[in-house]
Amino acid sequence: MPTIKFYVREGLLPPGRLTSPNQAAYEETHVRRLRLIRALIEVGGLSVASVGEVIAAVDDPERPVHDLLGEAAERMVPRYGGGGEAGDGLVEARERVGELLAARGWRGYPGSAAGEALAVALAALGSVGHERFAEVLPAYAEAAELVARADLEYVGRHVAREELVESVAIGTVLGDALFAALRRLAQIDASSRLYGDPEEEAGDGDRCGEAEPGEQGK
């Protein structure tokens, strides 16, 4: 793990107050900035150079909070190549992303990192013969709006700009993991309700109150 001196040399962290020729004292502001740097690098997966650009935005008091949060979140969206089979339908997929944003009235733009990632995913679906899966896009978009509002309500509980960006870094990466796990659990439940054996489910329910073997009379 890089040391504090490394972050200072890279211009990510301001120098501490010298207490001796070889020692420096660090304030609460340093601790907050260090947490942000490590969240962006270790959780967000950003390079030192990208972190430097985010830090510059944090330190710019004229930068609106919306732009500041976008600077951090945009850099954590995976970048995908547009070549190969997925590239064959990429132009059409990009158009579909633009149509989706217009239909939802979203203020994002198709050429953003997130818009491009969605286009690549749609093109990949088409390349493997599952272009009809895109029919679920409206439902996904509606769910995404609810999740986005929850995300921003969480972020909005913080005041310091470093904490705002740190919340975006943690929330984007680990929030994606949480949402993916919840989606899997919901799929299991939905599959059971749609395709499960009703009699087996009823039997499972009947057994809920039964004691396990060996527990009788305990």
Side-chain angles (χ1 to χ4, degrees):
M1 181 183 297
T3 63
I4 290 177
K5 289 182 179 179
F6 171 79
Y7 295 136
V8 172
R9 284 199 308 270
E10 292 296 317
L12 304 182
L13 193 67
R17 177 174 51 82
L18 287 176
T19 56
S20 73
N22 298 319
Q23 290 187 326
Y26 294 93
E27 311 294 336
E28 177 61 30
T29 54
H30 290 89
V31 175
R32 184 185 300 145
R33 175 60 56 88
L34 185 60
R35 281 181 49 188
L36 170 60
I37 294 168
R38 288 181 170 166
L40 292 172
I41 292 176
E42 297 169 18
V43 179
L46 270 64
S47 66
V48 170
S50 293
V51 171
E53 294 177 10
V54 174
I55 293 297
V58 170
D59 288 338
D60 181 2
E62 302 299 320
R63 194 74 172 265
V65 171
H66 172 68
D67 291 348
L68 172 62
L69 299 182
E71 180 79 30
E74 183 82 352
R75 295 181 180 281
M76 284 181 281
V77 177
R79 265 64 173 177
Y80 303 103
E85 294 181 1
D88 297 339
L90 196 53
V91 172
E92 182 181 345
R94 286 168 176 158
E95 292 175 354
R96 187 154 194 173
V97 171
E99 292 169 358
L100 172 69
L101 296 182
R104 303 296 303 187
W106 287 0
R107 298 180 181 179
Y109 51 100
S112 66
E116 186 67 5
L118 178 56
V120 170
L122 290 173
L125 284 168
S127 72
V128 295
H130 283 271
E131 57 276 354
R132 289 190 60 185
F133 191 78
E135 294 173 2
V136 305
L137 269 180
Y140 275 32
E142 186 172 347
E145 286 183 0
L146 292 174
V147 173
R149 280 197 290 271
D151 287 342
L152 269 296
E153 286 173 2
Y154 167 73
V155 170
R157 299 189 189 114
H158 303 282
V159 178
R161 289 167 71 90
E162 288 94 341
E163 292 178 349
L164 283 171
V165 177
E166 181 187 349
S167 297
V168 169
I170 299 297
T172 297
V173 177
L174 299 186
D176 284 352
L178 287 172
F179 190 74
L182 286 168
R183 181 188 179 207
R184 301 296 183 274
L185 290 169
Q187 285 173 338
I188 293 170
D189 177 70
S191 176
S192 174
R193 294 175 187 276
L194 289 171
Y195 307 116
D197 185 344
E199 293 184 3
E200 184 177 332
E201 283 190 24
D204 289 342
D206 292 341
R207 287 195 297 271
C208 285
E210 294 179 3
E212 291 294 327
E215 293 185 351
Q216 307 281 353
K218 287 186 179 180

